[in-house]
Amino acid sequence: MGRSIALALCLIAAFALAWSAERPPSPAPANTPATSFSAARAFPDVEIIAKAPHPIGSPQNVAVRDYLIQRMTALGLEPQIQRAEALFERKGRKNIAIAGGQVENIIGVLPGRDRTAPAVAIMAHYDSVPGSPGAADDATGVAAALEIVRALKAQGQPARDVIVLLTDGEESGLLGATAFFEQHPLAKRIGFLLNMEARGGGGRAQMFQTGAENGETIDLFRKTAISPTASSLTVFMYEKMPNDTDFTISKAAGVPGLNYAFIGRQFDYHSPTSTPANLDKGSLQHIGQETLAAAREAAFAAALPAKTPSLVYANTFAGHLLAYPPVVGWAVLVLAGLLVAIGAWRARSKGLLPWLDVIQGVGAALYLIALSAVLFRLARRATGADFGFMEQRYLLAQVTRWEIALILLAIGALAIAASAAGRGRTRLATGMIVLGSGVACSAFGGWDPIGLGLGLAGTILATVSFGRPATAAGSWAGVLATGFLAVLALQILAPPTAFLVAWPLALAGLGAAITAMGSKRSLPFLGVLAVLGAIGVSWLLGFGHGVFLGLDLPELLAVIVWLSALLLWPLAHTGENEKGVRVTAVALIMLGFVLVAVVRLDPPWSARYPQATHAAYFVEPSENRASRVSLTPDIPDWTRQMLTADGGEITQTTLPAGWRGQVWAAPAAPVPAAPPTFALTRQPDGSQHLQVTPPPGARTLGLVLKSTVPLGDATLNGRPVQALAPPGAETRINWQVAPQGLELRFKAAGPGALEVGFIAVTEAWPAGAKPLPPRPADVMGFDASDATIVGGTQRLTW
């Protein structure tokens, strides 16, 4: 009973510490000292910038630009506008994607004492996605940048220039940053850059990306950060993901720096609900104060951080960041191994560490990973929400109860594995639990070989591991052995990530050494295990919460459950005749799935969390045909009413340019709409010149090009592009703000043809169409909704 109470208190303390650590600070009031960051002073800028959606090229974005010019002028930054065209290419194995457009970056300079020294840049983007006011992404970053430069100015003249770079067109393909670092002379002067972003409307600000060779950069960050959330694991993972921010461009240009963003309240990410009223002002405070601390150090320092070998680092507690060279990771591994060895020796000397028990402990740890992964996978599939940005919104609207469901499943899985190791003779029961969960995965969303594979693997592990009772010391030693092997592998293959296992392993090793591998069960020793467990698990929960927020892959949380088991195993392990823990574990899992059923069956939509809908009127002038279309994956009642307003039947189709993939569509009455114009002419040097002019009012132009012959020496609006796709493959162009149109030049290998699919988007419902039905309070338009899309195909020959 004492062990169970210790486990319960340990978990309560761990979750309380983790919850406290994940909360952003309170917003500082307007009367905060002038040299400090104040969210209250910055928030009025957020309210004005995020008054309405303001995508690149829109009148609302021009209004935001003009306001920012006034604000930066008042701060003495002498702002200038960089008007430029930029394009961003991404080449796949078969296709080429090009994003481009006309941007208006805003650049100001706070003069330093040495105008020739490398400058510090503070960067954020002022455009939003269509349909979203962008209070978090990235009005918060822009407002924070203005407050930061005000605070720096209040401190005195910095040692070097501080450049404020407010980019345009980030949401359309990092266009403003591309234009600045490719074309503006100030780009060559930047020696250190700080970027601010957001993914959601709340949460703590994370420093999630650095420039290359970040040793001295992390030294600066460690010295100045007030309440950091950062780790080399996050940087390592982010570099492997397809995500990009403006920092991608500055990093590619070789500029050292730090990239900050907060992630939380993700329902508001790129959503109409991203309003100033829904923004967590504590998140504004956190990103502002952390960026200011680094900016102040860099701006007033005699020298900027140089490129030195990267460090391994992570925040610990109370604003502390631990950092060391990767080679020190071997010392951490040796220390953890030594502590575990001391605990094993002490237990062995008492006859409590049979080697068979250690092997069973290894199997039990692997079973725990399989069981928790398959339970999380089953839960995710059972919610009924499909996978994807739009589909996940059903879960984001009820994110708290969804996360609680996963927590219940995690605790239940840990309790089952640890109690089964102690009781033995549970092969059938534990095997049936994991296999049944694996089979059940296919009951939701169709055949699931991954879930079945996890179930079969878990069944085999249960058969091997739970045939006989194992001592607490022996099975815990086996669990810790899996941690040691994992650290060894990570230290060899991915040193920046090894700390995630090494630090909890060292903490668990300390507990093992003190308690003779958990054999001492008196109150003081249980207290030691509970305290160490609360400290380590609360730290791990921060990473688990980050995975939960950042990736819709709950199976990955099985790693956090396993790492928690390194610390909690001796408290969760039961004796041969104890049955209460297993009953409790099964009850927790059942309760978790009851909550999953609530998630599935109780629609979360409300005025605060409205259901996303999309409406567009698609017109094909050449065919005298029109459709009402929706880009959302489902068809709510409002969408069905909108689609069938002209009496047509709903089907799934693809727009001519392949824009956004499959859409829902229903026939509609044709309305007048002008398409883009195409003119292909042969030039004296034998090249071809294609001029595409969008219709008046269109802000977005999309093209899909397929050639019948090889094309080369291509330029787009005078800018070289790597190449057009080979014959039969696609080149996709998405261009924002093209009042003069697009000019594509290329040389062809011989006579041929260019197949062109096109769309032009005007963000207004056509005047000649039946009006949209009114949306109730729990329904909202999303993205470029309520728009007119003109599309079709052209075949151009030469």
Side-chain angles (χ1 to χ4, degrees):
M1 180 63 71
R3 177 193 45 74
S4 298
I5 293 174
L7 176 60
L9 293 175
C10 173
L11 289 174
I12 292 171
F15 282 106
L17 288 171
W19 176 79
S20 176
E22 288 300 310
R23 296 178 65 197
S26 299
N31 61 357
T32 299
T35 55
S36 298
F37 186 92
S38 163
R41 287 193 291 251
F43 189 68
D45 287 327
V46 175
E47 291 182 300
I48 293 174
I49 297 167
K51 189 176 297 183
H54 49 283
I56 175 178
S58 66
Q60 293 82 3
N61 208 37
V62 172
V64 171
R65 178 206 68 193
D66 292 343
Y67 170 76
L68 293 174
I69 290 288
Q70 295 174 11
R71 285 284 287 116
M72 293 170 71
T73 300
L75 287 167
L77 303 181
E78 298 184 0
Q80 57 177 281
I81 298 174
Q82 180 197 15
R83 293 184 174 90
E85 278 196 336
L87 60 85
F88 188 79
E89 289 186 80
R90 196 184 296 274
K91 190 171 184 179
R93 286 181 295 177
K94 294 183 179 180
N95 301 326
I96 295 172
I98 300 173
Q102 188 176 78
V103 297
E104 295 185 324
N105 293 329
I106 310 170
I107 305 155
V109 179
L110 178 65
R113 293 191 298 272
D114 185 353
R115 302 301 305 275
T116 64
V120 173
I122 302 171
M123 181 167 65
H125 69 89
Y126 73 90
D127 64 306
S128 74
V129 295
S132 174
D137 183 16
D138 193 23
T140 290
V142 173
L146 298 177
E147 170 67 2
I148 288 167
V149 77
R150 183 211 56 76
L152 293 176
K153 187 176 180 181
Q155 186 164 333
Q157 188 175 24
R160 63 194 68 251
D161 288 356
V162 176
I163 297 171
V164 178
L165 171 58
L166 305 182
T167 64
D168 190 14
E170 191 271 354
E171 301 290 4
S172 300
L174 317 181
L175 302 181
T178 299
F180 178 82
F181 283 98
E182 286 184 354
Q183 303 174 37
H184 202 283
L186 279 179
K188 302 298 183 184
R189 290 199 51 220
I190 296 176
F192 194 75
L193 183 141
L194 302 158
N195 185 55
M196 288 174 285
E197 261 288 356
R199 185 178 165 188
R204 288 174 62 83
Q206 300 185 33
M207 194 286 290
F208 67 98
Q209 190 180 22
T210 70
E213 299 175 283
N214 65 23
E216 289 196 11
T217 297
I218 294 302
D219 281 339
L220 179 150
F221 176 72
R222 176 175 55 180
K223 182 169 65 174
T224 62
I226 301 169
S227 177
T229 301
S231 77
S232 51
L233 171 66
T234 307
V235 173
F236 180 86
M237 290 180 61
Y238 189 81
E239 297 296 336
K240 310 299 179 187
M241 296 167 64
N243 304 36
D244 287 307
T245 68
D246 279 342
F247 193 85
T248 302
I249 306 302
S250 63
K251 182 175 180 177
V255 179
L258 301 168
N259 199 6
Y260 297 84
F262 52 82
I263 176 171
R265 298 188 184 181
Q266 285 192 86
F267 184 85
D268 298 328
Y269 180 56
H270 285 182
S271 169
T273 58
S274 183
T275 63
N278 290 334
L279 177 69
D280 185 344
K281 297 181 183 66
S283 301
L284 170 59
Q285 179 66 37
H286 195 220
I287 199 169
Q289 71 182 32
E290 296 301 319
T291 308
L292 171 59
R296 177 184 288 119
E297 178 67 21
F300 287 88
L304 292 175
K307 292 184 178 181
T308 55
S310 294
L311 298 179
V312 176
Y313 61 92
N315 51 282
T316 56
F317 295 96
H320 178 257
L321 189 87
L322 180 60
Y324 49 76
V327 68
V328 176
W330 290 106
V332 177
L333 176 60
V334 170
L335 173 63
L338 181 61
L339 290 170
V340 173
I342 292 172
W345 173 76
R346 293 188 65 194
R348 182 75 173 172
S349 66
K350 297 182 177 183
L352 298 175
L353 199 72
W355 291 114
L356 184 57
D357 288 9
V358 176
I359 296 172
Q360 286 181 248
V362 171
L366 298 177
Y367 171 83
L368 173 60
I369 294 173
L371 175 61
S372 52
V374 78
L375 288 175
F376 293 152
R377 185 174 183 85
L378 174 59
R380 177 61 180 86
R381 293 171 70 88
T383 63
D386 211 337
F387 292 86
F389 174 70
M390 294 299 297
E391 292 84 347
Q392 191 191 7
R393 296 188 61 78
Y394 184 83
L395 298 179
L396 297 179
Q398 48 185 331
V399 67
T400 300
R401 60 187 180 189
W402 168 227
E403 189 170 19
I404 291 173
L406 295 178
I407 289 170
L408 292 171
L409 295 177
I411 298 173
L414 174 59
I416 280 181
S419 63
R423 293 192 69 238
R425 300 185 300 277
T426 57
R427 291 169 171 168
L428 181 60
T430 52
M432 289 298 293
I433 289 173
V434 69
L435 181 60
S437 300
V439 171
C441 287
S442 295
F444 302 96
W447 168 245
D448 181 25
I450 295 176
L452 183 59
L454 287 170
L456 290 172
T459 303
I460 294 170
L461 290 165
T463 303
V464 171
S465 306
F466 303 138
R468 54 180 291 278
T471 62
S475 61
W476 191 20
V479 173
L480 295 180
T482 64
F484 185 87
L485 294 174
V487 177
L488 180 62
L490 291 173
Q491 189 63 34
I492 294 171
L493 301 174
T497 70
F499 76 89
L500 182 67
V501 187
W503 296 3
L505 180 64
L507 205 58
L510 178 61
I514 293 173
T515 65
M517 197 64 79
S519 62
K520 295 182 178 295
R521 296 293 185 100
S522 63
L523 186 59
F525 291 105
L526 288 176
V528 168
L529 293 174
V531 169
L532 293 176
I535 292 171
V537 172
S538 67
W539 182 78
L540 287 168
L541 287 172
F543 288 93
H545 185 63
V547 171
F548 172 78
L549 292 175
L551 300 170
D552 188 17
L553 292 170
E555 298 91 336
L556 293 179
L557 296 172
V559 174
I560 303 300
V561 178
W562 162 65
L563 291 174
S564 299
L566 301 180
L567 294 148
L568 299 178
W569 196 265
L571 297 176
H573 186 277
T574 61
E576 183 176 354
N577 297 316
E578 295 183 58
K579 298 181 180 179
V581 172
R582 187 176 65 175
V583 173
T584 302
V586 172
L588 287 171
I589 291 175
M590 293 177 63
L591 183 59
F593 279 110
V594 167
L595 199 51
V596 170
V598 173
V599 168
R600 180 186 179 101
L601 300 175
D602 182 25
W605 313 122
S606 65
R608 173 61 182 91
Y609 299 104
Q611 187 172 19
T613 61
H614 179 272
Y617 212 90
F618 178 63
V619 184
E620 295 176 89
S622 63
E623 305 294 331
N624 192 31
R625 185 169 58 197
S627 304
R628 291 168 173 257
V629 302
S630 171
L631 304 182
T632 54
D634 53 358
I635 310 180
D637 290 342
W638 183 91
T639 301
R640 187 175 300 278
Q641 183 184 359
M642 179 275 296
L643 290 173
T644 58
D646 288 320
E649 182 178 345
I650 300 173
T651 59
Q652 271 197 306
T653 186
T654 304
L655 299 184
W659 194 58
R660 306 288 185 94
Q662 291 274 305
V663 302
W664 298 105
V671 296
T677 60
F678 296 83
L680 181 67
T681 57
R682 179 182 173 88
Q683 303 300 299
D685 63 357
S687 65
Q688 301 291 332
H689 173 206
L690 174 60
Q691 178 70 37
V692 185
T693 305
R699 197 180 58 82
T700 299
L701 181 64
L703 302 175
V704 176
L705 311 177
K706 285 185 182 181
S707 173
T708 59
V709 298
L711 306 177
D713 296 335
T715 63
L716 186 58
N717 279 13
R719 301 178 60 80
V721 290
Q722 290 182 4
L724 293 178
E730 292 182 346
T731 298
R732 292 177 171 268
I733 301 174
N734 190 286
W735 204 268
Q736 308 290 326
V737 195
Q740 308 304 318
L742 292 182
E743 182 185 84
L744 180 64
R745 292 177 181 265
F746 57 87
K747 289 185 177 179
L754 192 64
E755 300 283 352
V756 182
F758 65 87
I759 58 101
V761 183
T762 303
E763 286 154 351
W765 195 252
K770 288 184 180 179
L772 290 167
R775 287 184 173 94
D778 61 350
V779 170
M780 65 180 174
F782 201 87
D783 197 11
S785 186
D786 307 357
T788 302
I789 304 175
V790 180
T793 59
Q794 288 271 346
R795 181 178 173 85
L796 308 170
T797 60
W798 58 86

